Amino acid sequence: MTETKHVPTTSEAPESLGVPGGPGGPGTVGTPDSPGTPGSGPAETPATDDRDPAQLLTAMVDRVLALAATWTAWDGRPVPAGDRLYTPHKAIRRVADHLVDHLAEMEARLVGEETQPDHWHASATTTAADLAPFTGADLDEARSRLTRLARIWVNRLDALTPDELDRSAGTGWTFRQLAFHLAESVYYADAVGDLTTLGAPAPTPARPAKP
């Protein structure tokens, strides 16, 4: 099973910079966690409804990038959230890795392959790269990276029938459930928050994914 994403749990030790927090860290096989509910421990199976899962993912990316547009004002201090620390680069890293991870899972399951074992450090580690200043160029890179990843997801999900979304190949959550789980990745950006008040210009709209 591929990585299941971070939410702090009561059993995990607080994070130290550059040091994984807690035995095994996040993503332990069989204990998926939900970025949308920090401190809740292992997540239940994601709830779904009649919303279009592809639109949920593009809305999530739009929200992340709208917040990221304020992060050039970041003062260099990691932001605590639960027992984790977040920075602009870390938030972008986690959203992108989350999208990549479950995309790899879905593609493997569709062709009957085993999914990749979980070796992500995820939110348990804050790297030196996570602590770098977040510049306008970094924002441009994040926009290009995340909008393209969202577009890949939209194309893949739109190619699946409702039955394939809800009776998905392989073992694990259905692909519809994966998409709803991924939409909670906005947690990482919300952890950093809107930094407009620190002196950044007002957020500029993220470039929307193609319809």
Side-chain angles (χ1 to χ4, degrees), residues 94-155:
R94 293 305 304 124
V95 173
D97 287 354
H98 203 174
L99 290 166
V100 167
D101 183 69
H102 284 305
L103 181 64
E105 175 190 354
M106 181 167 63
E107 293 297 329
R109 288 169 57 184
L110 283 168
V111 298
E113 291 182 354
E114 292 294 322
T115 56
Q116 293 289 318
D118 172 17
H119 298 298
W120 299 94
H121 291 297
S123 292
T125 297
T126 299
T127 69
D130 292 336
L131 296 169
F134 192 81
T135 68
D138 293 316
L139 175 60
D140 287 341
E141 296 291 282
R143 283 174 172 155
S144 292
R145 183 178 303 116
L146 295 184
T147 54
R148 282 163 173 76
L149 281 170
R151 192 68 219 161
I152 293 170
W153 268 98
V154 167
N155 290 339

Side-chain angles (χ1 to χ4, degrees), residues 4-79:
T4 50
K5 306 306 163 293
H6 172 259
V7 130
T9 68
T10 55
S11 63
E12 292 175 355
E15 177 190 357
S16 297
L17 292 181
V19 179
T28 303
V29 172
T31 56
D33 50 40
S34 165
T37 52
S40 65
E44 301 295 329
T45 300
T48 63
D49 51 43
D50 59 1
R51 289 175 293 172
D52 181 347
Q55 290 184 5
L56 282 180
L57 291 185
T58 57
M60 179 272 290
V61 167
D62 286 348
R63 165 70 175 168
V64 169
L65 292 176
L67 288 171
T70 76
W71 293 347
T72 55
W74 182 56
D75 60 11
R77 292 179 295 180
V79 180

Side-chain angles (χ1 to χ4, degrees), residues 183-201:
E184 295 179 334
S185 299
V186 72
Y187 168 77
Y188 302 115
D190 283 338
V192 178
D194 184 334
L195 302 185
T196 304
T197 57
L198 294 183

